[in-house]
């Protein structure tokens, strides 16, 4: 499966170590590398794809499989990243707070694609989110999955 495309480069002055420390996490080279990589992806990325991506970045960025699972779990618990479960039962990881925008998943190849920001469904969910926040229900998450076939699998 191809590795998701990168979004615009993450800011070079981002304080990744400080961000990890504010959440009570150790700022190891591996944790910083994983967090930076997820922030650079435009779509959710699986554990295996992330490990492959890290190995292509540099030998020093390589993280063994178990360590990567532990880092992803800690980052998820600290709300620095979010887990998205695909219909293939594979967890993918994305930047925290971006799930509201939703993803389109190809039911054949299981690639994830961002839904258009101008989608009426996204607008409706944003309005619902705003209403919940006004009501005082701040501890909630809204996610949805749209499934079908991508252009390549049609």
């Amino acid at each position: 499966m191809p590795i998701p495309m990168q979004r615009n480069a993450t800011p070079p002055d981002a304080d990744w170590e400080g961000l990890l420390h504010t959440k009570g996490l150790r700022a190891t080279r591996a944790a910083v590398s994983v967090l930076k990589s997820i922030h650079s992806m435009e779509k959710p990325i699986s554990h295996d794809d992330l490990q492959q991506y890290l190995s292509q970045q540099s030998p020093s960025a390589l993280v063994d499989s178990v360590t990567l699972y532990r880092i992803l779990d800690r980052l998820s618990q600290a709300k620095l990243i979010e887990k998205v479960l695909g219909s293939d039962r594979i967890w993918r990881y994305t930047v925290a707070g971006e799930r509201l925008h939703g993803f389109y998943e190809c039911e054949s190849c299981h690639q994830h694609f961002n839904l258009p920001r101008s989608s009426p469904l996204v607008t409706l969910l944003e309005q619902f989110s705003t209403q919940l926040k006004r009501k005082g229900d701040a501890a909630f998450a809204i996610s949805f999955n749209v499934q079908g076939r991508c252009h390549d699998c049609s």
Side-chain angles (χ1 to χ4, degrees), residues 96-150:
E98 294 193 355
R99 278 173 56 182
L100 179 59
H101 301 158
F103 301 98
Y104 168 87
E105 179 185 2
C106 177
E107 60 192 15
S108 180
C109 68
H110 299 287
Q111 286 192 69
H112 284 72
F113 304 92
N114 292 325
L115 289 175
R117 180 94 175 119
S118 61
S119 162
L121 181 56
V122 172
T123 302
L124 179 65
L125 288 172
E126 286 174 341
Q127 291 171 356
F128 181 65
S129 174
T130 301
Q131 289 175 357
L132 287 175
K133 286 177 184 174
R134 280 192 204 134
K135 185 179 166 211
D137 297 330
F140 63 90
I142 296 174
S143 64
F144 61 94
N145 292 317
V146 177
Q147 297 175 348
R149 289 193 182 260
C150 70

Side-chain angles (χ1 to χ4, degrees), residues 52-96:
Q52 180 184 351
Y53 174 79
L54 290 170
S55 72
Q56 292 172 355
Q57 294 308 299
S58 72
S60 65
L62 185 60
V63 179
D64 70 84
S65 184
V66 173
T67 301
L68 181 55
Y69 273 119
R70 288 179 181 154
I71 291 170
L72 291 168
D73 188 49
R74 287 183 192 123
L75 294 175
S76 178
Q77 287 179 2
K79 307 278 190 239
L80 292 173
I81 63 172
E82 292 183 3
K83 293 167 48 170
V84 177
L85 184 61
S87 64
D88 56 358
R89 309 300 295 163
I90 294 176
W91 287 106
R92 290 174 178 82
Y93 302 87
T94 190
V95 176

